[in-house]
Amino acid sequence: MATSAAPYGLRPIRRADGMPYSGSTNQYLIDPAGEGTNLFYGQAVIIGADGYIALATGTGADLTSNSISGTSGVGATGVFVGCEYVNDSGQTVQAQYYPSGTANGGAIKAYVIDDPMVLFQAQLDGTGAQTIIGTNTFFAAAQSTSTGSTTTGNSTSALDATVQTAAAAFRIVSHVSDPADAFPDVLVKFNPGGHQSLNNVGL
């Protein structure tokens, strides 16, 4: 039972069409001059105005002022699951998370799950009954440079247990743990408006 709060962001499980998730990602670039925030495994990310991957800073509680991207009408690009860069010693580093300010003047690759049909497992920040299936949720608090562990490299973001029927970033598809748990795990998918690939609005 999930009797304690131990959130881990968004963890890919399978596709919404019933097919297994193969682990596929797409490569994007992080600003070679250095991004101003840590990027942790399991965090939602966007393509910034500069064309580089950046942290999604909205909660996704609605699709306007609190949109997941922090910009009305623009959804997340996907979920960050690691990066690759060359360090000062000329070594290629493959890391679980991107440390804020890392810069090398060259390519810093971000691995992002950008398929909007992937289902993600996440933990709610409170109880959730069977009745939450089919409702919408969002991040319990806005992601930031500190909503993750520099030890494990994982996100520490939870989803809000105060679900709603109004538009929000994520749809709850099913329970993973017992609905009676204090902090149940659920499967969610991006809603239209919560994911850039499901929108017709550009950056």
Side-chain angles (χ1 to χ4, degrees):
M1 293 180 63
T3 57
S4 60
Y8 43 83
L10 300 168
R11 184 179 298 166
I13 299 298
R14 60 179 175 84
R15 285 175 49 86
D17 59 9
M19 297 296 291
Y21 171 62
S22 65
S24 62
T25 60
N26 277 317
Q27 288 186 12
Y28 294 82
L29 293 179
I30 298 172
D31 190 345
E35 178 60 33
T37 59
N38 295 319
L39 298 174
F40 294 103
Y41 184 104
Q43 285 187 324
V45 291
I46 62 170
I47 299 175
D50 58 4
Y52 294 112
I53 284 294
L55 187 64
T57 56
T59 63
D62 59 55
L63 301 180
T64 55
S65 60
N66 291 314
S67 66
I68 194 170
S69 66
T71 303
S72 179
V74 179
T77 301
V79 175
F80 178 87
V81 290
C83 63
E84 180 181 316
Y85 58 91
V86 177
N87 65 15
D88 293 338
S89 300
Q91 300 166 315
T92 298
V93 177
Q94 292 182 319
Q96 183 90 342
Y97 86 103
Y98 166 83
S100 170
T102 297
N104 62 6
I108 303 176
K109 301 174 185 177
Y111 298 105
V112 178
I113 301 170
D114 58 5
D115 181 351
M117 294 301 292
V118 172
L119 297 182
F120 296 91
Q121 181 176 323
Q123 188 179 56
L124 298 179
D125 70 343
T127 57
Q130 186 64 28
T131 52
I132 68 172
I133 302 302
T135 61
N136 293 330
T137 186
F138 44 92
F139 286 121
Q143 300 179 120
S144 72
T145 193
S146 60
T147 52
S149 167
T150 57
T151 300
T152 65
N154 293 328
S155 167
T156 54
S157 289
L159 297 182
D160 204 307
T162 307
V163 298
Q164 61 189 38
T165 57
F170 307 106
R171 174 70 50 85
I172 299 176
V173 175
S174 66
H175 283 286
V176 174
S177 60
D178 190 331
D181 285 357
F183 301 94
D185 295 295
V186 293
L187 285 185
V188 299
K189 68 178 293 292
F190 280 99
N191 272 325
H195 195 290
Q196 185 179 345
S197 293
L198 300 176
N199 295 340
N200 60 6
V201 178
L203 297 176

